[in-house]
Structure formats: structure tokens, C-alpha cells
Amino acid sequence: MLLITIPAAELWDEKNETFISVDAKTLQLEHSLVSLSKWESKWEKPFLSNKPKTAEETLDYVRCMTLTQNVKPEVYIRLSDQNILAINQYIDAPMTATHFSKDDRAHGNGGEQITAELIYYWMVALNIPFECQKWHLNRLFTLIRVCNIKNQPPKRQS
């Protein structure tokens, strides 16, 4: 989980032609299968792809990651560059102490497009409990990879 604080600001209200002060807001974020699933349900395309996302799509993923209740939409527009950097670092973090050898890393997904439904399928096929859908996504991927490695028959020694 990531906590970020969006700084207080003074904004111009064009309608009333006055400055308004807005307080700082702390958001609790979770990069998880649940977040991914929410985003893909809305946008109807894979989040985990190499295709660039629009600013609107990226901002909406932060909304999907948000666990904090009743956040006003305008709060997200005030995300600072530092907030965005922290969010991206959090998304990219491995969130595990598990490391794989070169041989283990070679077993990819064969170019298959990864979507929330495919990840849920892997969880079902590997008997991973659904409570793991709330884990950091990279940690869940690591568990899936470990299960796949452990389920392979042992390599023969020549």
C-alpha cells in the first residue's frame, strides 16, 4: 500500500472569480488485481500492454488504485510530479524478496496478452486464494511464477 499526500493549494474559481484554498489530501493506494480489473472494465483494453496510455487513462488508474473513500474528482488533478513519481516507483517495485535465476526468467507468457481475466484464471488454476487479488500486483505475479516453477517436474540430470 502507498500513502501519498497531495499538497494544499490555492486555486482560481473562474465562476465566482475568487481564489479558493484547498486542503492537503492523503490518499491510500493499492496496485492490485482489483485495481487492474476496475480499470480494464471501464476502458475495455489491457492495462498491462506496451501501448502508451493517455493522461486521462493514467489518472483513472490512480483513481482505481484509491482505497480512500469519498475522494473528490478534482483532487486527482492536483497530483504533483513528486506524487506521480512515487506512484510509478510503487507500481514498478517488486514487493518481494524472491528472485529468479536466468532459467526461471526465460519462461514468459509466450507473448500472450495479459488481462485481469487471465490473471484470475492463473489464480484458479494454481489454487491461489482470491484474497491475493488485493496484493501488490508484482507480488501476485511472483507467487504465480513460483507456483508454476514448483509445479514443473524436476529436470533430469544427465
Side-chain angles (χ1 to χ4, degrees):
M1 174 183 19
L2 174 68
L3 288 175
I4 61 164
T5 300
I6 299 170
E10 196 163 310
L11 306 174
W12 177 251
D13 180 351
E14 290 183 19
K15 183 179 175 185
N16 297 317
E17 296 186 357
T18 59
F19 284 102
I20 54 170
S21 295
V22 289
D23 295 331
K25 180 72 175 177
T26 299
L27 299 180
Q28 185 178 6
L29 305 177
E30 185 66 69
H31 174 56
S32 67
L33 182 52
V34 173
S35 307
L36 182 82
S37 182
K38 286 179 189 177
W39 189 91
E40 288 183 353
S41 293
K42 179 176 179 179
W43 294 96
E44 297 181 351
K45 62 184 188 178
F47 180 80
L48 299 173
S49 74
N50 292 331
K51 294 181 181 176
K53 288 160 194 58
T54 65
E56 182 184 6
E57 290 170 339
T58 302
L59 197 58
D60 194 50
Y61 188 67
V62 176
R63 284 187 197 101
C64 292
M65 290 173 58
T66 303
L67 300 177
T68 307
Q69 298 292 313
N70 303 318
V71 178
K72 294 179 181 177
E74 57 269 15
V75 167
Y76 296 99
I77 297 168
R78 295 186 6 242
L79 286 166
S80 68
D81 290 342
Q82 194 174 16
N83 293 146
I84 298 296
L85 179 64
I87 292 166
N88 286 332
Q89 287 174 339
Y90 169 71
I91 288 173
D92 293 338
M95 294 296 184
T96 179
T98 302
H99 300 280
F100 298 96
S101 69
K102 279 187 178 182
D103 291 341
D104 294 335
R105 274 189 228 129
H107 302 296
N109 64 340
E112 187 174 30
Q113 182 61 62
I114 299 173
T115 63
E117 289 76 17
L118 181 59
I119 299 168
Y120 278 114
Y121 163 75
W122 290 337
M123 290 175 67
V124 169
L126 296 167
N127 294 314
I128 296 172
F130 279 108
E131 64 195 44
C132 296
Q133 71 183 333
K134 295 181 180 179
W135 285 10
H136 188 286
L137 198 56
N138 293 339
R139 185 172 176 220
L140 177 58
F141 281 151
T142 300
L143 177 60
I144 290 168
R145 185 180 277 172
V146 166
C147 290
N148 277 327
I149 291 167
K150 293 296 185 180
N151 284 334
Q152 290 176 359
K155 292 181 181 178
R156 287 183 169 187
Q157 299 293 328
S158 54

